[in-house]
Amino acid sequence: LQELQSSGRGRFLLEHAAPFPAFLTDSFGRQHNYLRISLTEKCNLRCQYCMPEEGVQLTPKSELLTTQEIITLAKLFVKEGVEKIRLTGGEPLIRPDVVDIVGQLHELEGLKTIAVTTNGMNLTRLLPRLKEAGLNAINISLDTLVPAKFEFIVRRKGFHKVMEGIHKATELGYHPVKVNCVVMRGFNEDELLGFVDFTKDLPLDVRFIEYMPFDGNKWNSKKMVSYKEMLDTIKQQWPELEKLPCATSSTAKSYKVPHFQGQISFITSMSEHFCGSCNRLRITADGNLKVCLFGNSEVSLRDHLRSGASEEELVQVIGAAVGRKKKQHAGMYNISQMKNRPMILIAFQLVICSHVTHVFPSLEPALMLFPLCQDALQNSPNSKQWGHTFSHWLTLSSTFDPKCLDASPISQVSVNYKSKGASPGSELGTMVPHASDSLTHTDEEGRATMVDVGGKPDSRRSAVAVAVVHLGEKVFGMVRQNQMKKGDVLAVAQIAGIQGAKLTSQLIPLCHNIPLNHVEVSLSLDENRYAVVIHSTCQTWGRTGVEMEALTAASLAALTVYDMCKAVTHDIVIEEVKLLSKTGGQRGDFSR
C-alpha cells in the first residue's frame, strides 16, 4: 500500500479502483480474493494424515467437476474480484489435463497468481510445462527428512522424487518454494532443526503447520506441537532468528536465520487462529463451495451449473454462502470435536504422512517401538499391507540424486545445544558427587529414587551399545533377500531403535529425559553366525550420560527384528546386549 501511495500511477489506481464486490465480502468485512480449487479426490500416496484408516469413498467421475465447469467457475470468481487461485487435491498433478487447466486460468484477465499444492511426486516431470503454462507459485508437502520414515508412512517409495521436485522448482526460479510440514508430537517434532537447516542454501519457505483435526485422523491435543513450543526449540539453536514482516491476510508468522537463503514460517491454526483476516474460499472436486476449512456447511455449485443457473443466480448463491460465514472456525469454539470431510476430500492439502496413530503415536510407546506389531494393527483393515511399504534398507544408495543428500535426517545430524537446566554456580550449587561403589538409585532406606543431577556440570557425552540377534540359516536368508512378509526387517528395526532411544525415560523409570543431539542405529548381517548385529550410538550435551539410551536403542531394534521374524520361527536368540563404550561424566570414559 505504501509503495502504491508513493507513486503517481499508484495513487491513481487507488483513487479509481472499483469497490470490492459485496457478494465476496462477509458480514465481518472480510474480502475473499483467494480461491482454492480441488482438481481431484485421488492421490498417488496413501498417507495416514489425509486418509482415515477405513479409506474414503471416492465420488463417481460423473459427479466431479469437468474441466469446462472448473474454468467457468474460476472465470466467474476472477471477474468478481478473486486474484489468486490455488489448485489442490487429492494430488492435483495426477489429473491428466492439469497443464491445460493452468493454461486456461492464465488467460483470465485479473488473475494475478496461479499456485499449486502438491506432494511433489510428479513435479520434476511436469514443472517445466506448468511454468510455461503460467504457474506462479508452488507448495510442496513434506513432513519428514528421513527417507525410511517417509516410505513407511506413505506406503510408497518416492522420497527422492519429492527432493528432486524441490530442487527443480528452485532451479526454474520459483522463489521461495514453500514446503509444508505438519508437526506432530512423537512423529517429527525432533526434525524441526533439520528442516530449518534445509533453508540454509536453498530459497525455501519451510512452513511448520500445527496439527489440525479432520474426520478420521484421530486428532488429540497431546499430539499438537504449538507454534511457541516450536519457536522456542528453534531459538535454542539459532538465538539470532529474525521475525519478518507479513501481509495482513497472511496465515503465516515468518522468521529467518541471518545469512540463510530461505526462511521458515508457522501456520498457527490451533494456538493463534487467523480467522479475522481470512480471505479464502474453497471449491471441492465435486463442486461444493466451502467458505471455511473447518466447517461442514457446503453449497453445490455443480448442481446449480448443471441445472442451467445464470451467472447472476450463481453470484447470489455464492454471496449467500459467504454471508453466512462465521467469525471463526465455522462458529465452533472447540474444533477438536468438529465433523468435517477427511482432509483428502477438501481443497486443502498438507499431504505427506502426519497422522500416525498406528505408527508413531507419542503416548503409545509399544506401538512407536514396534511399528509393525500385529496386535497394534489388528483393527486396521490394511494391516496386511503395512509390511510391504519400506524400501530395501535405509542407506541412501548411489541411485539417489546427490542433491537428495542435502536433506539429512535429523537423527543423522549432530546438533549441539546446551541443556536448559541449571548451570554450575546456580542456586542449586556446584557440588559434584564423588564416584561411589554404592547404588545411586536408592535412598538411605533402600527405596528407588531418581538421581539429582542439577549440580553436575554440562559436558559432551556419548555411548555406543551393541546387540546380536541369531536368526538361524533359513530366517537369515529371508532377511538378506528381503522376503519377510512384514517388510524390510533392517529398515523397520532401525527406525524402532531410533524411536527407542528417544523414549528411554518413558520406559526406564529412573532415567532422566535427555535432549539427544545425535542418534544413529546401524544393522549389519553376519553370515558366519546367521545373525543381525546392531550398533547404536547416542550423543548429548548435558549433566548425565546416554548409555541407557544407547542400550535401549540396541535392545528395541533387536526386539523388532524378533517381532518381524517370529512368524517363520521362534528359535531366535537375542544376546550380547552390552555397552561397548561411553565418554564424559565424573566416572570417566569406558571402553569394553
Side-chain angles (χ1 to χ4, degrees), residues 193 236-237 413-418 460 517 539-541:
L193 303 184
Q236 288 184 27
Q237 179 67 17
V413 179
S414 294
V415 182
N416 297 320
Y417 59 92
K418 294 189 176 182
R460 187 180 302 279
N517 298 346
Q539 296 175 4
T540 191
W541 177 277

Side-chain angles (χ1 to χ4, degrees), residues 357-533:
T357 297
H358 288 300
V359 188
F360 299 117
S362 60
L363 298 180
E364 299 173 29
L367 189 50
M368 285 181 78
L369 302 172
F370 307 110
L372 299 186
C373 179
Q374 195 68 31
D375 292 339
L377 293 175
Q378 62 184 354
N379 295 320
S380 172
N382 299 317
S383 60
K384 292 182 180 179
Q385 302 173 14
W386 277 71
H388 303 288
T389 58
F390 268 115
S391 63
H392 183 65
W393 190 215
L394 289 179
T395 310
L396 292 172
S397 69
S398 58
T399 59
F400 276 29
D401 188 316
K403 290 180 292 187
C404 298
L405 302 181
D406 293 343
S408 302
I410 191 65
S411 60
Q412 302 287 331
V413 179
S414 294
V415 182
N416 297 320
Y417 59 92
K418 294 189 176 182
S419 167
K420 293 192 294 182
S423 59
S426 70
E427 65 275 15
L428 295 177
T430 59
M431 181 180 296
V432 178
H434 294 290
S436 170
D437 291 332
S438 63
L439 297 176
T440 59
H441 285 74
T442 57
D443 61 16
E444 295 177 353
E445 298 179 6
R447 294 173 301 194
T449 183
M450 180 178 281
V451 174
D452 183 358
V453 299
K456 292 184 178 182
D458 286 336
S459 64
R460 187 180 302 279
R461 298 164 184 264
S462 65
V464 180
V466 67
V468 179
V469 186
H470 294 271
L471 299 174
E473 184 176 359
K474 178 182 178 181
V475 176
F476 181 86
M478 295 178 70
V479 170
R480 183 173 56 185
Q481 298 298 322
N482 197 20
Q483 295 176 343
M484 300 304 294
K485 289 185 178 181
K486 281 192 172 184
D488 192 321
V489 173
L490 303 181
V492 180
Q494 196 234 21
I495 290 292
I498 293 172
Q499 294 297 114
K502 296 190 293 182
L503 283 175
T504 298
S505 64
Q506 297 182 38
L507 300 170
I508 312 298
L510 301 182
C511 281
H512 293 82
N513 186 9
I514 298 175
L516 294 173
N517 298 346
H518 179 74
V519 179
E520 184 173 351
V521 177
S522 63
L523 296 90
S524 59
L525 297 176
D526 185 339
E527 191 165 0
N528 293 327
R529 294 187 287 176
Y530 300 123
V532 177
V533 181

